[in-house]
Structures are given as structure tokens and as C-alpha cells.
Amino acid sequence: KEFIKVMKVLSDPNRVKLLKLLQKRTMCVCEIQATLGIAQPTVSKHLKLLEFAGLVDRKKEGLWVNYFLTDGGRSPYAASLLGSLRHWLDDDPEIRAAIGRSDDVRREDLCRTRE
């Protein structure tokens, strides 16, 4: 059951991109949204599923909720896949483009434009 849960969560390309982004750095929802170009509710849904599978966790710091990759401690399948994912898909053009876009995305700039 645990294996199927992790595999189902990884069946969506946006969730895989999201994991690859979080592999690079901790991000908030607005940064992920801006980088992937998908709606905030969709990002939140993806994060909830990734968290449920033990791949992602969050920590509230002041006004921010920061999302980051777990160590996979809750599931041996999550741990194994997170470890392998670090070496997979780095040459994928869509993932490289998303990571490149993330370099220019900062929460302070995003929130300033919304004020």
C-alpha cells in the first residue's frame, strides 16, 4: 500500500518537477506557482499529496510556509525514490527550464507586486 501511494503521487509530471525544484532549495507556494506557471490551488493540492506520501514536509517561519524534501524517514519507498531522483532527470529540458526559472523567483518580489 505504501509503495503504491508513493508511485501514484509521482505519476504527475508537475509533482516530479516540484520535487526537483525542492531538491535545489526550500520554496513557498507562491515561488512554486510562479516557477511552474500553475494555479495556487493546484500547487497546494500537489504539495498536500507529496506530503501525504512522505516526500515533502513544511515548516512555518513567520509569515511563510516553507516546503522542503523530507529525508524519507516515514517510508522506505519515499527514501529510495528521493535518493534516486537526485540523479534522475537532470537533463530533461522541462525540468532544466523550471530550475532555471526558479533562480529568478523570490517571494519578496512576488509579494511586493501583489501589494
Side-chain angles (χ1 to χ4, degrees):
K1 230 177 179 183
E2 192 69 29
F3 175 76
I4 298 299
K5 179 174 32 173
V6 172
M7 296 308 288
K8 279 185 178 182
V9 165
L10 291 175
S11 68
D12 183 279
N14 281 320
R15 288 194 285 269
V16 173
K17 288 178 201 168
L18 204 156
L19 289 176
K20 292 299 282 184
L21 289 172
L22 293 178
Q23 186 177 293
K24 184 174 179 183
R25 69 180 170 105
T26 297
M27 299 176 87
C28 67
V29 171
C30 63
E31 290 171 316
I32 296 166
Q33 176 187 359
T35 300
L36 295 181
I38 55 180
Q40 182 273 324
T42 304
V43 172
S44 293
K45 179 183 173 188
H46 286 320
L47 286 166
K48 183 177 179 179
L49 291 167
L50 290 165
E51 197 172 352
F52 177 70
L55 298 163
V56 167
D57 205 352
R58 61 188 156 139
K59 183 176 183 181
K60 186 163 174 58
E61 294 178 13
L63 298 173
W64 307 110
V65 178
N66 296 310
Y67 289 87
F68 54 92
L69 295 182
T70 68
D71 62 2
R74 286 184 23 212
S75 162
Y77 306 112
S80 180
L81 281 164
L82 285 171
S84 295
L85 190 62
R86 291 193 185 284
H87 308 287
W88 293 343
L89 302 171
D90 289 336
D91 59 346
D92 181 274
E94 287 184 38
I95 290 174
R96 278 209 318 226
I99 290 172
R101 284 190 303 274
S102 75
D103 290 338
D104 298 325
V105 174
R106 298 282 175 244
R107 63 185 73 187
E108 296 81 9
D109 297 332
L110 294 169
C111 292
R112 184 179 18 240
T113 60
R114 292 181 184 166
E115 292 176 353

